[in-house]
Amino acid sequence: MVSDSDEVYFEECHIDHLSKAYKFEVGDEVIFHFKGFNFDAILVGIADKADHRGMKYAISFKNENGDLVNMFAMERELFYKKQADELVAGDRFWNEEGKKCEVIFVSYDYMVEKVDYYCRVVSVGATEGMTVIASPDEIKEIEH
């Protein structure tokens, strides 16, 4: 909508007052995808500049043997780990019954502050293609 006034307001900002914006922040829980495996990791540091291989993010995770591993990772190897109440249309998860579901619509009730997911069952079986309603507490695992 255009106002009756033709005035445009612009505030000048000096570069020294700005800070860098990163895709991830220190402390974020992420999925580290490495050589075909996915590891739950925690972001413990961010370098100001990536090295010659593109490594910029310091992460900490437990490998398949349960050993704690600290290493650097590239941004393309990291994925934000969504929580059960942060899903959007297109996200997939496994419910308590072991069925793989795809979110097709998200409903939020502001009165009781509750999220519901309207989903299509995509796992092969008798219920494939059915529409179900799921709440975040019914989600067993989120596909990343």
Side-chain angles (χ1 to χ4, degrees):
M1 182 174 181
V2 178
S3 66
D4 295 336
S5 166
D6 290 335
E7 293 178 32
V8 176
Y9 178 75
F10 177 75
E11 183 175 333
E12 200 170 319
C13 182
H14 193 273
I15 193 79
D16 292 338
H17 297 118
L18 301 176
S19 61
K20 292 183 180 180
Y22 297 106
K23 183 175 180 179
F24 302 105
E25 294 181 15
V26 172
D28 282 353
E29 292 183 19
V30 295
I31 302 296
F32 174 50
H33 184 73
F34 185 69
K35 295 186 178 181
F37 294 97
N38 288 332
F39 299 99
D40 289 338
I42 295 178
L43 192 66
V44 294
I46 303 172
D48 288 333
K49 189 176 178 184
D51 70 6
H52 66 282
R53 296 171 294 165
M55 304 288 188
K56 181 176 185 170
Y57 297 93
I59 59 171
S60 183
F61 65 95
K62 288 190 178 182
N63 66 12
E64 60 274 359
N65 298 326
D67 300 326
L68 185 64
V69 178
N70 296 304
M71 63 182 290
F72 283 96
M74 293 180 260
E75 189 171 289
R76 69 174 184 238
E77 297 171 320
L78 302 176
F79 300 92
Y80 179 69
K81 186 174 182 179
K82 290 186 177 182
Q83 301 302 318
D85 60 349
E86 299 176 324
L87 301 182
V88 296
D91 287 339
R92 293 180 174 205
F93 65 88
W94 283 266
N95 66 11
E96 294 174 327
E97 300 170 3
K99 296 176 185 167
K100 187 174 183 180
C101 302
E102 180 177 3
V103 177
I104 52 178
F105 180 77
V106 180
S107 168
Y108 186 76
D109 186 336
Y110 289 95
M111 296 293 286
V112 293
E113 297 182 354
K114 182 177 183 272
V115 175
D116 281 319
Y117 299 110
Y118 292 77
C119 311
R120 182 179 66 237
V121 177
V122 294
S123 53
V124 178
T127 58
E128 182 179 12
M130 281 182 53
T131 303
V132 295
I133 299 173
S135 62
D137 57 330
E138 297 173 38
I139 296 174
K140 187 175 180 181
E141 182 181 343
I142 299 169
E143 182 178 90
H144 295 282

